[in-house]
PDB file of all heavy atoms in Angstrom:
ATOM      1  N   ALA A   1       4.487  -1.936  15.156  1.00 95.00           N
ATOM      2  CA  ALA A   1       4.537  -2.615  13.863  1.00 95.00           C
ATOM      3  C   ALA A   1       3.276  -3.479  13.652  1.00 95.00           C
ATOM      4  O   ALA A   1       2.672  -3.420  12.555  1.00 95.00           O
ATOM      5  CB  ALA A   1       5.794  -3.458  13.748  1.00 95.00           C
ATOM      6  N   ASP A   2       2.891  -4.239  14.632  1.00 94.00           N
ATOM      7  CA  ASP A   2       1.700  -5.096  14.459  1.00 94.00           C
ATOM      8  C   ASP A   2       0.466  -4.280  14.163  1.00 94.00           C
ATOM      9  O   ASP A   2      -0.364  -4.641  13.289  1.00 94.00           O
ATOM     10  CB  ASP A   2       1.496  -5.944  15.726  1.00 94.00           C
ATOM     11  CG  ASP A   2       2.560  -7.002  15.914  1.00 94.00           C
ATOM     12  OD1 ASP A   2       3.300  -7.285  14.944  1.00 94.00           O
ATOM     13  OD2 ASP A   2       2.668  -7.542  17.013  1.00 94.00           O
ATOM     14  N   ALA A   3       0.285  -3.197  14.879  1.00 94.00           N
ATOM     15  CA  ALA A   3      -0.901  -2.333  14.699  1.00 94.00           C
ATOM     16  C   ALA A   3      -0.930  -1.681  13.310  1.00 94.00           C
ATOM     17  O   ALA A   3      -1.971  -1.576  12.663  1.00 94.00           O
ATOM     18  CB  ALA A   3      -0.967  -1.266  15.783  1.00 94.00           C
ATOM     19  N   LEU A   4       0.269  -1.279  12.826  1.00 94.00           N
ATOM     20  CA  LEU A   4       0.328  -0.624  11.536  1.00 94.00           C
ATOM     21  C   LEU A   4      -0.060  -1.617  10.410  1.00 94.00           C
ATOM     22  O   LEU A   4      -0.773  -1.248   9.489  1.00 94.00           O
ATOM     23  CB  LEU A   4       1.710  -0.063  11.294  1.00 94.00           C
ATOM     24  CG  LEU A   4       1.892   0.688   9.972  1.00 94.00           C
ATOM     25  CD1 LEU A   4       2.399   2.093  10.238  1.00 94.00           C
ATOM     26  CD2 LEU A   4       2.804  -0.050   9.025  1.00 94.00           C
ATOM     27  N   PHE A   5       0.408  -2.839  10.490  1.00 92.00           N
ATOM     28  CA  PHE A   5       0.064  -3.812   9.472  1.00 92.00           C
ATOM     29  C   PHE A   5      -1.373  -4.277   9.591  1.00 92.00           C
ATOM     30  O   PHE A   5      -2.030  -4.578   8.592  1.00 92.00           O
ATOM     31  CB  PHE A   5       1.006  -5.026   9.561  1.00 92.00           C
ATOM     32  CG  PHE A   5       2.351  -4.766   8.952  1.00 92.00           C
ATOM     33  CD1 PHE A   5       3.393  -4.316   9.706  1.00 92.00           C
ATOM     34  CD2 PHE A   5       2.558  -4.991   7.593  1.00 92.00           C
ATOM     35  CE1 PHE A   5       4.641  -4.076   9.143  1.00 92.00           C
ATOM     36  CE2 PHE A   5       3.804  -4.750   7.003  1.00 92.00           C
ATOM     37  CZ  PHE A   5       4.846  -4.303   7.787  1.00 92.00           C
ATOM     38  N   GLU A   6      -1.882  -4.309  10.802  1.00 90.00           N
ATOM     39  CA  GLU A   6      -3.281  -4.706  11.010  1.00 90.00           C
ATOM     40  C   GLU A   6      -4.239  -3.652  10.474  1.00 90.00           C
ATOM     41  O   GLU A   6      -5.234  -3.977   9.846  1.00 90.00           O
ATOM     42  CB  GLU A   6      -3.526  -4.923  12.504  1.00 90.00           C
ATOM     43  CG  GLU A   6      -4.947  -5.286  12.905  1.00 90.00           C
ATOM     44  CD  GLU A   6      -5.352  -6.674  12.442  1.00 90.00           C
ATOM     45  OE1 GLU A   6      -4.437  -7.533  12.245  1.00 90.00           O
ATOM     46  OE2 GLU A   6      -6.551  -6.924  12.285  1.00 90.00           O
ATOM     47  N   GLN A   7      -3.950  -2.376  10.749  1.00 90.00           N
ATOM     48  CA  GLN A   7      -4.862  -1.309  10.325  1.00 90.00           C
ATOM     49  C   GLN A   7      -4.051  -0.022  10.093  1.00 90.00           C
ATOM     50  O   GLN A   7      -3.786   0.722  11.034  1.00 90.00           O
ATOM     51  CB  GLN A   7      -5.951  -1.067  11.377  1.00 90.00           C
ATOM     52  CG  GLN A   7      -6.891   0.079  11.053  1.00 90.00           C
ATOM     53  CD  GLN A   7      -7.533  -0.125   9.682  1.00 90.00           C
ATOM     54  OE1 GLN A   7      -8.159  -1.153   9.431  1.00 90.00           O
ATOM     55  NE2 GLN A   7      -7.420   0.900   8.826  1.00 90.00           N
ATOM     56  N   PRO A   8      -3.682   0.253   8.870  1.00 92.00           N
ATOM     57  CA  PRO A   8      -3.011   1.527   8.571  1.00 92.00           C
ATOM     58  C   PRO A   8      -3.968   2.689   8.763  1.00 92.00           C
ATOM     59  O   PRO A   8      -5.158   2.585   8.482  1.00 92.00           O
ATOM     60  CB  PRO A   8      -2.608   1.392   7.096  1.00 92.00           C
ATOM     61  CG  PRO A   8      -3.565   0.383   6.544  1.00 92.00           C
ATOM     62  CD  PRO A   8      -3.870  -0.564   7.646  1.00 92.00           C
ATOM     63  N   GLU A   9      -3.450   3.829   9.233  1.00 93.00           N
ATOM     64  CA  GLU A   9      -4.304   4.954   9.532  1.00 93.00           C
ATOM     65  C   GLU A   9      -4.001   6.203   8.742  1.00 93.00           C
ATOM     66  O   GLU A   9      -4.549   7.268   8.970  1.00 93.00           O
ATOM     67  CB  GLU A   9      -4.264   5.273  11.052  1.00 93.00           C
ATOM     68  CG  GLU A   9      -4.911   4.224  11.917  1.00 93.00           C
ATOM     69  CD  GLU A   9      -6.424   4.147  11.728  1.00 93.00           C
ATOM     70  OE1 GLU A   9      -6.986   4.953  10.982  1.00 93.00           O
ATOM     71  OE2 GLU A   9      -7.042   3.276  12.345  1.00 93.00           O
ATOM     72  N   HIS A  10      -3.055   6.128   7.795  1.00 95.00           N
ATOM     73  CA  HIS A  10      -2.824   7.244   6.869  1.00 95.00           C
ATOM     74  C   HIS A  10      -2.941   6.706   5.451  1.00 95.00           C
ATOM     75  O   HIS A  10      -2.484   5.592   5.165  1.00 95.00           O
ATOM     76  CB  HIS A  10      -1.418   7.828   7.082  1.00 95.00           C
ATOM     77  CG  HIS A  10      -1.227   9.131   6.375  1.00 95.00           C
ATOM     78  ND1 HIS A  10      -0.896   9.197   5.040  1.00 95.00           N
ATOM     79  CD2 HIS A  10      -1.327  10.449   6.807  1.00 95.00           C
ATOM     80  CE1 HIS A  10      -0.817  10.470   4.685  1.00 95.00           C
ATOM     81  NE2 HIS A  10      -1.055  11.235   5.732  1.00 95.00           N
ATOM     82  N   PRO A  11      -3.569   7.461   4.553  1.00 94.00           N
ATOM     83  CA  PRO A  11      -3.732   6.967   3.167  1.00 94.00           C
ATOM     84  C   PRO A  11      -2.427   6.569   2.496  1.00 94.00           C
ATOM     85  O   PRO A  11      -2.387   5.625   1.691  1.00 94.00           O
ATOM     86  CB  PRO A  11      -4.392   8.153   2.441  1.00 94.00           C
ATOM     87  CG  PRO A  11      -5.120   8.881   3.514  1.00 94.00           C
ATOM     88  CD  PRO A  11      -4.268   8.745   4.766  1.00 94.00           C
ATOM     89  N   TYR A  12      -1.332   7.256   2.831  1.00 94.00           N
ATOM     90  CA  TYR A  12      -0.022   6.881   2.249  1.00 94.00           C
ATOM     91  C   TYR A  12       0.387   5.490   2.745  1.00 94.00           C
ATOM     92  O   TYR A  12       0.897   4.688   1.944  1.00 94.00           O
ATOM     93  CB  TYR A  12       1.015   7.923   2.594  1.00 94.00           C
ATOM     94  CG  TYR A  12       2.380   7.608   2.033  1.00 94.00           C
ATOM     95  CD1 TYR A  12       2.574   7.479   0.640  1.00 94.00           C
ATOM     96  CD2 TYR A  12       3.468   7.418   2.866  1.00 94.00           C
ATOM     97  CE1 TYR A  12       3.816   7.186   0.132  1.00 94.00           C
ATOM     98  CE2 TYR A  12       4.724   7.149   2.360  1.00 94.00           C
ATOM     99  CZ  TYR A  12       4.903   7.034   0.981  1.00 94.00           C
ATOM    100  OH  TYR A  12       6.151   6.730   0.448  1.00 94.00           O
ATOM    101  N   THR A  13       0.188   5.227   4.016  1.00 93.00           N
ATOM    102  CA  THR A  13       0.513   3.896   4.534  1.00 93.00           C
ATOM    103  C   THR A  13      -0.363   2.834   3.883  1.00 93.00           C
ATOM    104  O   THR A  13       0.116   1.735   3.564  1.00 93.00           O
ATOM    105  CB  THR A  13       0.341   3.862   6.069  1.00 93.00           C
ATOM    106  OG1 THR A  13       0.956   4.993   6.675  1.00 93.00           O
ATOM    107  CG2 THR A  13       0.909   2.599   6.659  1.00 93.00           C
ATOM    108  N   VAL A  14      -1.636   3.148   3.678  1.00 90.00           N
ATOM    109  CA  VAL A  14      -2.529   2.232   2.976  1.00 90.00           C
ATOM    110  C   VAL A  14      -1.957   1.912   1.598  1.00 90.00           C
ATOM    111  O   VAL A  14      -1.928   0.736   1.171  1.00 90.00           O
ATOM    112  CB  VAL A  14      -3.948   2.843   2.837  1.00 90.00           C
ATOM    113  CG1 VAL A  14      -4.831   1.995   1.923  1.00 90.00           C
ATOM    114  CG2 VAL A  14      -4.585   3.003   4.203  1.00 90.00           C
ATOM    115  N   GLY A  15      -1.475   2.937   0.880  1.00 89.00           N
ATOM    116  CA  GLY A  15      -0.911   2.704  -0.425  1.00 89.00           C
ATOM    117  C   GLY A  15       0.357   1.862  -0.418  1.00 89.00           C
ATOM    118  O   GLY A  15       0.560   1.008  -1.253  1.00 89.00           O
ATOM    119  N   LEU A  16       1.193   2.085   0.599  1.00 90.00           N
ATOM    120  CA  LEU A  16       2.426   1.282   0.727  1.00 90.00           C
ATOM    121  C   LEU A  16       2.069  -0.202   0.959  1.00 90.00           C
ATOM    122  O   LEU A  16       2.689  -1.068   0.331  1.00 90.00           O
ATOM    123  CB  LEU A  16       3.286   1.805   1.873  1.00 90.00           C
ATOM    124  CG  LEU A  16       3.971   3.139   1.687  1.00 90.00           C
ATOM    125  CD1 LEU A  16       4.755   3.513   2.938  1.00 90.00           C
ATOM    126  CD2 LEU A  16       4.880   3.145   0.487  1.00 90.00           C
ATOM    127  N   LEU A  17       1.125  -0.439   1.831  1.00 88.00           N
ATOM    128  CA  LEU A  17       0.735  -1.833   2.096  1.00 88.00           C
ATOM    129  C   LEU A  17       0.055  -2.463   0.890  1.00 88.00           C
ATOM    130  O   LEU A  17       0.232  -3.625   0.599  1.00 88.00           O
ATOM    131  CB  LEU A  17      -0.196  -1.869   3.304  1.00 88.00           C
ATOM    132  CG  LEU A  17       0.394  -1.508   4.655  1.00 88.00           C
ATOM    133  CD1 LEU A  17      -0.637  -1.516   5.762  1.00 88.00           C
ATOM    134  CD2 LEU A  17       1.525  -2.459   5.016  1.00 88.00           C
ATOM    135  N   ALA A  18      -0.693  -1.660   0.144  1.00 83.00           N
ATOM    136  CA  ALA A  18      -1.371  -2.192  -1.015  1.00 83.00           C
ATOM    137  C   ALA A  18      -0.416  -2.578  -2.127  1.00 83.00           C
ATOM    138  O   ALA A  18      -0.728  -3.410  -2.992  1.00 83.00           O
ATOM    139  CB  ALA A  18      -2.369  -1.147  -1.568  1.00 83.00           C
ATOM    140  N   SER A  19       0.800  -1.996  -2.123  1.00 81.00           N
ATOM    141  CA  SER A  19       1.765  -2.269  -3.184  1.00 81.00           C
ATOM    142  C   SER A  19       2.516  -3.576  -2.923  1.00 81.00           C
ATOM    143  O   SER A  19       3.306  -4.007  -3.797  1.00 81.00           O
ATOM    144  CB  SER A  19       2.775  -1.126  -3.255  1.00 81.00           C
ATOM    145  OG  SER A  19       3.599  -1.041  -2.097  1.00 81.00           O
ATOM    146  N   ILE A  20       2.311  -4.213  -1.778  1.00 78.00           N
ATOM    147  CA  ILE A  20       2.993  -5.469  -1.485  1.00 78.00           C
ATOM    148  C   ILE A  20       2.294  -6.603  -2.230  1.00 78.00           C
ATOM    149  O   ILE A  20       1.106  -6.812  -2.055  1.00 78.00           O
ATOM    150  CB  ILE A  20       2.975  -5.771   0.023  1.00 78.00           C
ATOM    151  CG1 ILE A  20       3.691  -4.645   0.811  1.00 78.00           C
ATOM    152  CG2 ILE A  20       3.660  -7.124   0.309  1.00 78.00           C
ATOM    153  CD1 ILE A  20       3.585  -4.837   2.288  1.00 78.00           C
ATOM    154  N   PRO A  21       2.994  -7.388  -3.082  1.00 73.00           N
ATOM    155  CA  PRO A  21       2.362  -8.525  -3.740  1.00 73.00           C
ATOM    156  C   PRO A  21       1.871  -9.539  -2.726  1.00 73.00           C
ATOM    157  O   PRO A  21       2.544  -9.790  -1.710  1.00 73.00           O
ATOM    158  CB  PRO A  21       3.513  -9.111  -4.588  1.00 73.00           C
ATOM    159  CG  PRO A  21       4.523  -8.031  -4.710  1.00 73.00           C
ATOM    160  CD  PRO A  21       4.398  -7.221  -3.458  1.00 73.00           C
ATOM    161  N   ARG A  22       0.689 -10.140  -2.983  1.00 69.00           N
ATOM    162  CA  ARG A  22       0.081 -11.094  -2.050  1.00 69.00           C
ATOM    163  C   ARG A  22      -0.272 -12.384  -2.755  1.00 69.00           C
ATOM    164  O   ARG A  22      -0.797 -12.369  -3.875  1.00 69.00           O
ATOM    165  CB  ARG A  22      -1.161 -10.489  -1.440  1.00 69.00           C
ATOM    166  CG  ARG A  22      -0.936  -9.256  -0.603  1.00 69.00           C
ATOM    167  CD  ARG A  22      -2.236  -8.620  -0.189  1.00 69.00           C
ATOM    168  NE  ARG A  22      -3.153  -9.615   0.338  1.00 69.00           N
ATOM    169  CZ  ARG A  22      -3.938  -9.415   1.376  1.00 69.00           C
ATOM    170  NH1 ARG A  22      -3.948  -8.284   2.008  1.00 69.00           N
ATOM    171  NH2 ARG A  22      -4.780 -10.363   1.772  1.00 69.00           N
ATOM    172  N   LEU A  23       0.010 -13.489  -2.078  1.00 66.00           N
ATOM    173  CA  LEU A  23      -0.281 -14.787  -2.654  1.00 66.00           C
ATOM    174  C   LEU A  23      -1.790 -15.063  -2.737  1.00 66.00           C
ATOM    175  O   LEU A  23      -2.246 -15.818  -3.599  1.00 66.00           O
ATOM    176  CB  LEU A  23       0.387 -15.890  -1.839  1.00 66.00           C
ATOM    177  CG  LEU A  23       1.905 -15.886  -1.828  1.00 66.00           C
ATOM    178  CD1 LEU A  23       2.432 -16.958  -0.906  1.00 66.00           C
ATOM    179  CD2 LEU A  23       2.476 -16.067  -3.227  1.00 66.00           C
ATOM    180  N   ASP A  24      -2.575 -14.425  -1.835  1.00 65.00           N
ATOM    181  CA  ASP A  24      -4.018 -14.691  -1.825  1.00 65.00           C
ATOM    182  C   ASP A  24      -4.784 -13.711  -2.690  1.00 65.00           C
ATOM    183  O   ASP A  24      -6.014 -13.684  -2.664  1.00 65.00           O
ATOM    184  CB  ASP A  24      -4.548 -14.641  -0.392  1.00 65.00           C
ATOM    185  CG  ASP A  24      -4.397 -13.258   0.242  1.00 65.00           C
ATOM    186  OD1 ASP A  24      -3.610 -12.436  -0.319  1.00 65.00           O
ATOM    187  OD2 ASP A  24      -5.044 -12.999   1.272  1.00 65.00           O
ATOM    188  N   GLN A  25      -4.107 -12.918  -3.485  1.00 63.00           N
ATOM    189  CA  GLN A  25      -4.764 -11.914  -4.276  1.00 63.00           C
ATOM    190  C   GLN A  25      -4.487 -12.137  -5.768  1.00 63.00           C
ATOM    191  O   GLN A  25      -3.349 -12.179  -6.178  1.00 63.00           O
ATOM    192  CB  GLN A  25      -4.261 -10.511  -3.863  1.00 63.00           C
ATOM    193  CG  GLN A  25      -4.855  -9.391  -4.668  1.00 63.00           C
ATOM    194  CD  GLN A  25      -4.251  -8.055  -4.272  1.00 63.00           C
ATOM    195  OE1 GLN A  25      -3.665  -7.963  -3.212  1.00 63.00           O
ATOM    196  NE2 GLN A  25      -4.353  -7.113  -5.130  1.00 63.00           N
ATOM    197  N   ARG A  26      -5.533 -12.290  -6.540  1.00 62.00           N
ATOM    198  CA  ARG A  26      -5.368 -12.466  -7.966  1.00 62.00           C
ATOM    199  C   ARG A  26      -5.603 -11.129  -8.662  1.00 62.00           C
ATOM    200  O   ARG A  26      -6.671 -10.572  -8.604  1.00 62.00           O
ATOM    201  CB  ARG A  26      -6.381 -13.501  -8.484  1.00 62.00           C
ATOM    202  CG  ARG A  26      -6.139 -14.901  -7.905  1.00 62.00           C
ATOM    203  CD  ARG A  26      -7.125 -15.885  -8.482  1.00 62.00           C
ATOM    204  NE  ARG A  26      -6.874 -17.226  -7.969  1.00 62.00           N
ATOM    205  CZ  ARG A  26      -7.622 -18.297  -8.323  1.00 62.00           C
ATOM    206  NH1 ARG A  26      -8.630 -18.164  -9.180  1.00 62.00           N
ATOM    207  NH2 ARG A  26      -7.336 -19.468  -7.800  1.00 62.00           N
ATOM    208  N   THR A  27      -4.611 -10.660  -9.355  1.00 61.00           N
ATOM    209  CA  THR A  27      -4.687  -9.419 -10.090  1.00 61.00           C
ATOM    210  C   THR A  27      -3.727  -9.429 -11.248  1.00 61.00           C
ATOM    211  O   THR A  27      -2.710 -10.123 -11.192  1.00 61.00           O
ATOM    212  CB  THR A  27      -4.397  -8.202  -9.148  1.00 61.00           C
ATOM    213  OG1 THR A  27      -4.533  -7.026  -9.916  1.00 61.00           O
ATOM    214  CG2 THR A  27      -3.005  -8.300  -8.583  1.00 61.00           C
ATOM    215  N   ASP A  28      -4.047  -8.702 -12.309  1.00 63.00           N
ATOM    216  CA  ASP A  28      -3.157  -8.691 -13.465  1.00 63.00           C
ATOM    217  C   ASP A  28      -2.129  -7.584 -13.397  1.00 63.00           C
ATOM    218  O   ASP A  28      -1.300  -7.453 -14.276  1.00 63.00           O
ATOM    219  CB  ASP A  28      -4.004  -8.528 -14.751  1.00 63.00           C
ATOM    220  CG  ASP A  28      -4.840  -7.250 -14.719  1.00 63.00           C
ATOM    221  OD1 ASP A  28      -4.851  -6.570 -13.694  1.00 63.00           O
ATOM    222  OD2 ASP A  28      -5.474  -6.967 -15.761  1.00 63.00           O
ATOM    223  N   ARG A  29      -2.141  -6.797 -12.308  1.00 69.00           N
ATOM    224  CA  ARG A  29      -1.102  -5.785 -12.133  1.00 69.00           C
ATOM    225  C   ARG A  29      -0.911  -5.469 -10.643  1.00 69.00           C
ATOM    226  O   ARG A  29      -1.817  -5.693  -9.839  1.00 69.00           O
ATOM    227  CB  ARG A  29      -1.505  -4.511 -12.869  1.00 69.00           C
ATOM    228  CG  ARG A  29      -2.698  -3.768 -12.275  1.00 69.00           C
ATOM    229  CD  ARG A  29      -3.033  -2.542 -13.106  1.00 69.00           C
ATOM    230  NE  ARG A  29      -4.150  -1.802 -12.539  1.00 69.00           N
ATOM    231  CZ  ARG A  29      -4.034  -0.838 -11.647  1.00 69.00           C
ATOM    232  NH1 ARG A  29      -2.838  -0.502 -11.205  1.00 69.00           N
ATOM    233  NH2 ARG A  29      -5.092  -0.199 -11.180  1.00 69.00           N
ATOM    234  N   LEU A  30       0.287  -5.000 -10.337  1.00 70.00           N
ATOM    235  CA  LEU A  30       0.576  -4.590  -8.970  1.00 70.00           C
ATOM    236  C   LEU A  30      -0.022  -3.199  -8.717  1.00 70.00           C
ATOM    237  O   LEU A  30      -0.094  -2.361  -9.637  1.00 70.00           O
ATOM    238  CB  LEU A  30       2.064  -4.542  -8.730  1.00 70.00           C
ATOM    239  CG  LEU A  30       2.803  -5.904  -8.749  1.00 70.00           C
ATOM    240  CD1 LEU A  30       4.296  -5.674  -8.573  1.00 70.00           C
ATOM    241  CD2 LEU A  30       2.271  -6.809  -7.646  1.00 70.00           C
ATOM    242  N   ALA A  31      -0.442  -2.983  -7.503  1.00 75.00           N
ATOM    243  CA  ALA A  31      -0.989  -1.656  -7.134  1.00 75.00           C
ATOM    244  C   ALA A  31       0.144  -0.638  -7.106  1.00 75.00           C
ATOM    245  O   ALA A  31       1.307  -0.950  -6.806  1.00 75.00           O
ATOM    246  CB  ALA A  31      -1.655  -1.730  -5.777  1.00 75.00           C
ATOM    247  N   ALA A  32      -0.173   0.616  -7.422  1.00 80.00           N
ATOM    248  CA  ALA A  32       0.793   1.688  -7.405  1.00 80.00           C
ATOM    249  C   ALA A  32       0.099   2.956  -6.871  1.00 80.00           C
ATOM    250  O   ALA A  32      -1.091   3.107  -7.011  1.00 80.00           O
ATOM    251  CB  ALA A  32       1.360   1.932  -8.796  1.00 80.00           C
ATOM    252  N   ILE A  33       0.898   3.798  -6.298  1.00 87.00           N
ATOM    253  CA  ILE A  33       0.408   5.133  -5.874  1.00 87.00           C
ATOM    254  C   ILE A  33       0.721   6.107  -7.005  1.00 87.00           C
ATOM    255  O   ILE A  33       1.896   6.419  -7.235  1.00 87.00           O
ATOM    256  CB  ILE A  33       1.085   5.601  -4.567  1.00 87.00           C
ATOM    257  CG1 ILE A  33       0.920   4.540  -3.473  1.00 87.00           C
ATOM    258  CG2 ILE A  33       0.528   6.925  -4.106  1.00 87.00           C
ATOM    259  CD1 ILE A  33       1.646   4.859  -2.181  1.00 87.00           C
ATOM    260  N   ASP A  34      -0.290   6.547  -7.696  1.00 87.00           N
ATOM    261  CA  ASP A  34      -0.076   7.441  -8.821  1.00 87.00           C
ATOM    262  C   ASP A  34       0.498   8.775  -8.345  1.00 87.00           C
ATOM    263  O   ASP A  34       0.256   9.237  -7.223  1.00 87.00           O
ATOM    264  CB  ASP A  34      -1.388   7.701  -9.565  1.00 87.00           C
ATOM    265  CG  ASP A  34      -1.912   6.453 -10.254  1.00 87.00           C
ATOM    266  OD1 ASP A  34      -1.077   5.602 -10.609  1.00 87.00           O
ATOM    267  OD2 ASP A  34      -3.140   6.337 -10.427  1.00 87.00           O
ATOM    268  N   GLY A  35       1.246   9.440  -9.242  1.00 89.00           N
ATOM    269  CA  GLY A  35       1.805  10.736  -8.922  1.00 89.00           C
ATOM    270  C   GLY A  35       3.194  10.668  -8.343  1.00 89.00           C
ATOM    271  O   GLY A  35       3.796   9.589  -8.254  1.00 89.00           O
ATOM    272  N   VAL A  36       3.744  11.805  -7.971  1.00 90.00           N
ATOM    273  CA  VAL A  36       5.101  11.911  -7.459  1.00 90.00           C
ATOM    274  C   VAL A  36       5.129  12.768  -6.193  1.00 90.00           C
ATOM    275  O   VAL A  36       4.121  13.450  -5.878  1.00 90.00           O
ATOM    276  CB  VAL A  36       6.068  12.502  -8.510  1.00 90.00           C
ATOM    277  CG1 VAL A  36       6.176  11.609  -9.713  1.00 90.00           C
ATOM    278  CG2 VAL A  36       5.604  13.914  -8.929  1.00 90.00           C
ATOM    279  N   LEU A  37       6.242  12.755  -5.505  1.00 91.00           N
ATOM    280  CA  LEU A  37       6.411  13.613  -4.340  1.00 91.00           C
ATOM    281  C   LEU A  37       6.280  15.086  -4.730  1.00 91.00           C
ATOM    282  O   LEU A  37       6.663  15.458  -5.838  1.00 91.00           O
ATOM    283  CB  LEU A  37       7.777  13.388  -3.697  1.00 91.00           C
ATOM    284  CG  LEU A  37       7.997  12.087  -2.946  1.00 91.00           C
ATOM    285  CD1 LEU A  37       9.465  11.825  -2.775  1.00 91.00           C
ATOM    286  CD2 LEU A  37       7.292  12.114  -1.594  1.00 91.00           C
ATOM    287  N   PRO A  38       5.776  15.923  -3.863  1.00 91.00           N
ATOM    288  CA  PRO A  38       5.668  17.350  -4.184  1.00 91.00           C
ATOM    289  C   PRO A  38       7.039  18.007  -4.277  1.00 91.00           C
ATOM    290  O   PRO A  38       8.035  17.501  -3.728  1.00 91.00           O
ATOM    291  CB  PRO A  38       4.854  17.919  -3.014  1.00 91.00           C
ATOM    292  CG  PRO A  38       5.104  17.002  -1.893  1.00 91.00           C
ATOM    293  CD  PRO A  38       5.229  15.648  -2.521  1.00 91.00           C
ATOM    294  N   ASP A  39       7.116  19.131  -4.987  1.00 87.00           N
ATOM    295  CA  ASP A  39       8.353  19.907  -5.104  1.00 87.00           C
ATOM    296  C   ASP A  39       8.648  20.567  -3.776  1.00 87.00           C
ATOM    297  O   ASP A  39       7.936  21.439  -3.309  1.00 87.00           O
ATOM    298  CB  ASP A  39       8.179  20.965  -6.190  1.00 87.00           C
ATOM    299  CG  ASP A  39       9.411  21.800  -6.418  1.00 87.00           C
ATOM    300  OD1 ASP A  39      10.439  21.540  -5.728  1.00 87.00           O
ATOM    301  OD2 ASP A  39       9.384  22.683  -7.271  1.00 87.00           O
ATOM    302  N   MET A  40       9.765  20.135  -3.131  1.00 85.00           N
ATOM    303  CA  MET A  40      10.059  20.649  -1.791  1.00 85.00           C
ATOM    304  C   MET A  40      10.699  22.025  -1.821  1.00 85.00           C
ATOM    305  O   MET A  40      10.963  22.599  -0.751  1.00 85.00           O
ATOM    306  CB  MET A  40      10.951  19.640  -1.066  1.00 85.00           C
ATOM    307  CG  MET A  40      10.242  18.319  -0.749  1.00 85.00           C
ATOM    308  SD  MET A  40       8.666  18.565   0.140  1.00 85.00           S
ATOM    309  CE  MET A  40       9.260  19.164   1.709  1.00 85.00           C
TER     310      MET A  40
END
């Protein structure tokens, strides 16, 4: 867990972490991963 939060190594994990609201980050919108899951 500590390593994953320190340095994500898959782009999807990067996107999940980027979507977490942060007190030290000023932005007018929350980050989102555009698109949807593929048709399985």
Side-chain angles (χ1 to χ4, degrees):
D2 291 344
L4 183 125
F5 281 93
E6 178 71 23
Q7 177 57 54
E9 290 293 356
H10 192 278
Y12 180 60
T13 312
V14 172
L16 290 179
L17 292 177
S19 68
I20 301 175
R22 296 172 48 140
L23 295 176
D24 63 344
Q25 178 184 340
R26 295 182 179 180
T27 181
D28 58 354
R29 68 182 182 90
L30 293 176
I33 305 175
D34 293 333
V36 295
L37 287 162
D39 181 0
M40 293 306 292

